[in-house]
Amino acid sequence: GYLTAEPTAVQLAGGALEVFYRGPAGYLWVQVRVGGHWQRPAELTQLGDLGSAPRAVAQPNGVIDVFWRGSHDDHLWQAQYSPGEGWAGPLNLHGNLASWPYPVETAAGVVEVFWKGTDRSLWRVVRGVGWHFSQPQDLGMGPLGGGPQAVALPSGEIDVVWSGDTSPRHIWTAVIPASGPIRGPANTGAIIISGQPWPVVAEHSEVVLLRGTGGELWVLTRRPDGRWSPPEPVSKLRLTWSGPFAAVGSAAAPLDVFWVGRNGDLWTGGKISRYGGWWGPLNLGGSAT
């Protein structure tokens, strides 16, 4: 494929993998990997052209939701794939986006999509199981510097993370429990120098990865009491060019971190165990921008 924005990937029951990306003409493309083999990519022109990279979430039953910012407006748009029915959409969910959307899905099947509004506040839409999406909701929390990232915990709680808009850029969080009032914003005390903070659940712990002062990988860990530990530098993992990113298949999976080097090559490192040290860095080669 020929990409004009970052791809997004979802894994379905049975191990099938679907990758979505914006192509040269701005339309959404999908490429599927089944049984270890990649199928030919398909262009979904019926969904119109995209104004941002797509972001997708999937349910175990094979239903996939894809979100993006409009190309002719700054609204949130959505399309849904249902097995046996195909694609429905695009659907205008409204809102005024100043960042790419960031969707998460809880274990109960609730989908929430977050974004930085043009007013620099944190916004979202919510869809409960069997319901339609809500109207855009202003959660305040601002002013946001970068776009929000979020992670859904096994308990049903969603934690949203973003960087502030003043120097030094601190990392802020908000907690959205499965029931009860939203808590936040809370300043973690960590300072980010470039990129976005990246929350992830691995080895039964929630962590936030960021490129901190000095260019090292810094890690914030969520304590059992809900508070964040002081930021911990991983001096052996120096992120020379980009911020970190990571993905895991389950809450018990190990933590592997990736970043782009100065020459465009892909690097990786990770946690040996929940209570152990770090391994890496390892140069995986390639050419990334």
Side-chain angles (χ1 to χ4, degrees), residues 94-112:
H94 305 289
N96 300 105
L97 280 66
S99 72
W100 294 354
Y102 200 97
V104 293
E105 183 165 358
T106 70
V110 176
V111 176
E112 300 199 19

Side-chain angles (χ1 to χ4, degrees), residues 11-259:
Q11 188 172 30
L12 306 178
L17 187 72
E18 299 205 13
V19 181
F20 299 90
Y21 58 92
R22 187 181 67 182
Y27 294 111
L28 182 66
W29 287 71
V30 59
Q31 192 161 6
V32 182
R33 185 176 187 266
V34 179
H37 301 284
W38 289 100
Q39 301 177 0
R40 292 182 61 86
E43 186 178 24
L44 306 175
T45 57
Q46 72 272 25
L47 300 180
D49 54 336
L50 283 60
S52 74
R55 289 290 179 264
V57 292
Q59 301 177 27
N61 61 4
V63 173
I64 301 172
D65 290 291
V66 185
F67 304 89
W68 64 91
R69 186 176 62 191
S71 60
H72 307 287
D73 53 43
D74 56 11
H75 296 171
L76 175 66
W77 290 80
Q78 176 252 1
Q80 183 178 87
Y81 175 82
S82 299
E85 299 179 13
W87 287 95
L91 177 63
N92 187 347
L93 299 179
H94 305 289
N96 300 105
L97 280 66
S99 72
W100 294 354
Y102 200 97
V104 293
E105 183 165 358
T106 70
V110 176
V111 176
E112 300 199 19
V113 188
F114 301 92
W115 68 88
K116 172 186 174 182
T118 54
D119 60 355
R120 298 189 297 168
S121 291
L122 177 64
W123 288 76
R124 71 168 178 178
V125 292
V126 182
R127 186 188 67 196
V129 178
W131 293 84
H132 298 292
F133 276 102
S134 68
Q135 291 296 312
Q137 302 172 358
D138 181 4
L139 302 182
M141 307 287 176
L144 277 65
Q149 307 259 82
V151 63
L153 306 183
S155 64
E157 176 184 304
I158 296 175
D159 291 343
V160 190
V161 182
W162 67 90
S163 60
D165 74 333
T166 57
S167 183
R169 296 171 58 212
H170 286 93
I171 303 303
W172 295 77
T173 65
V175 174
I176 303 176
S179 60
I182 297 174
R183 304 192 300 272
N187 189 339
T188 65
I191 297 174
I192 188 171
I193 63 169
S194 66
Q196 297 292 328
W198 195 286
V200 67
V201 176
E203 297 178 329
H204 302 291
S205 296
E206 180 186 3
V207 299
V208 175
L209 310 169
L210 61 137
R211 183 174 183 238
T213 53
E216 300 98 344
L217 173 70
W218 286 70
V219 181
L220 288 165
T221 304
R222 185 87 177 276
R223 294 169 171 167
D225 62 4
R227 295 185 297 173
W228 291 94
S229 66
E232 170 195 0
V234 184
S235 57
K236 69 182 299 183
L237 300 184
R238 293 188 60 83
L239 282 54
T240 57
W241 194 250
S242 78
F245 55 97
V248 293
S250 69
L255 175 61
D256 292 328
V257 186
F258 302 87
W259 65 94

